[in-house]
Amino acid sequence: MIERSTEPQKHDRLAAFLRAYGLRAFPCDHWYDANLLIVDAEGTGVPTHLIYRPQAAATSSEAMEVLAAAAIDFSGSMNPLVGALPGELRFDLASEPPLQGLSALIVSETRDRRCGGGTVHARLCEVVVVLAIRRALASGTVNAGLLAGLAHHDLHASLVAMHEDPARRWQIKDLAAIAAMSRSRFIEAFKQTIGQPPAAYLTSWRLALGRVELRSGRSAKVAAALVGFGSAAAFSRAYLRQYGYPPSHECRHV
């Protein structure tokens, strides 16, 4: 007899954001232009802490040596996840072995300047940022908003479903079933945790993705269809309410 695994289904909470907004790391000649820093705060010459500031370049007056730095582009304010993250993620590498090992590799690539080092440095920095965000989700330190929803034991499954398939005609009962909740409990928990009702959140996610499509050169009509709006007119009205300007404004910035 074959026994079925009773482990709960795992959902990739970051995949939709990485796919929609990309994640790129660039070298920095000066640490104050970077928002990812690997530092020595103890004067040992080895990495002791990792600092990632999702929304701005790093600034610090602390007595520490910057061993490696990078500018991380995760689409800034266009990316809802960036806005949901704390202003600073700081890790003591002694208690984070995976980040410690990767940080040591990044410092080595920075110091030695070997062939292909720029590419290796960039890819390692991107991996470090994904691990840092993953750690932030696991810590559950944020009590409300998108990050809290992604960290929620039950709600995260419904959020991932919306993120992965925004064009689907989602019904509350379907999302509640994915979260293994009753309809009323799901609505209450979602609003309390995320800060807005499920339908409002889905609309804001669709508009955020629509903004990316517009920036890529697609028309409002095509963008509307791709993200789940019934018509370009409905998309344009919702877009104007959300951002304060029509979709054509984005098209002029392509």
Side-chain angles (χ1 to χ4, degrees):
M1 180 178 178
I2 299 176
E3 295 185 0
R4 294 183 178 179
S5 173
T6 57
E7 290 185 7
Q9 182 181 355
K10 293 185 177 180
H11 304 273
D12 192 332
R13 309 173 204 204
L14 298 180
F17 297 99
L18 291 167
R19 187 168 54 249
Y21 296 101
L23 177 64
R24 294 165 295 276
F26 302 95
C28 287
D29 293 330
H30 305 288
W31 69 264
Y32 46 79
D33 293 326
N35 58 347
L36 177 68
L37 301 177
I38 297 170
V39 304
D40 170 17
E42 299 172 2
T44 60
V46 298
T48 61
H49 293 78
L50 182 142
I51 302 168
Y52 171 48
R53 292 191 170 180
Q55 299 151 26
T59 56
S60 177
S61 58
E62 299 176 51
M64 57 186 183
E65 180 185 1
V66 177
L67 303 179
I72 303 299
D73 178 9
F74 203 6
S75 294
S77 61
M78 281 187 62
N79 185 345
L81 182 60
V82 169
L85 288 168
E88 179 178 286
L89 299 177
R90 179 183 291 245
F91 302 92
D92 182 344
L93 295 175
S95 60
E96 301 285 347
L99 287 176
Q100 185 179 48
L102 288 167
S103 295
L105 282 173
I106 292 169
V107 171
S108 175
E109 290 295 332
T110 300
R111 287 173 173 168
D112 296 341
R113 305 285 183 178
R114 289 171 288 205
C115 294
T119 298
V120 173
H121 180 276
R123 298 297 86 77
L124 288 173
C125 288
E126 290 161 10
V127 171
V128 159
V129 168
V130 172
L131 293 181
I133 296 173
R134 185 190 291 175
R135 188 70 184 83
L137 288 174
S139 68
T141 55
V142 179
N143 296 321
L146 174 58
L147 207 65
L150 290 171
H152 193 282
H153 181 271
D154 299 315
L155 290 176
H156 79 270
S158 61
L159 277 171
V160 170
M162 285 189 276
H163 293 162
E164 291 292 338
D165 193 4
R168 177 173 169 177
R169 292 191 174 186
W170 288 106
Q171 301 292 323
I172 293 296
K173 61 182 179 64
D174 300 325
L175 294 168
I178 291 171
M181 292 178 170
S182 68
R183 188 179 186 278
S184 59
R185 181 166 167 258
F186 171 73
I187 294 173
E188 180 182 359
F190 196 101
K191 189 172 182 179
Q192 183 176 6
T193 304
I194 311 299
Q196 56 185 330
Y201 177 80
L202 177 58
T203 296
S204 67
W205 174 243
R206 285 171 169 169
L207 289 169
L209 293 180
R211 196 179 186 191
V212 173
E213 299 296 343
L214 292 170
R215 291 278 180 100
S216 73
R218 290 190 169 91
S219 67
K221 181 178 181 180
V222 172
L226 287 172
V227 300
F229 280 87
S231 67
F235 174 69
S236 296
R237 288 193 297 270
Y239 200 94
L240 180 61
R241 285 195 299 271
Q242 179 85 357
Y243 298 114
Y245 53 81
S248 57
H249 177 85
E250 300 287 4
C251 297
R252 289 197 296 268
H253 288 76
V254 175

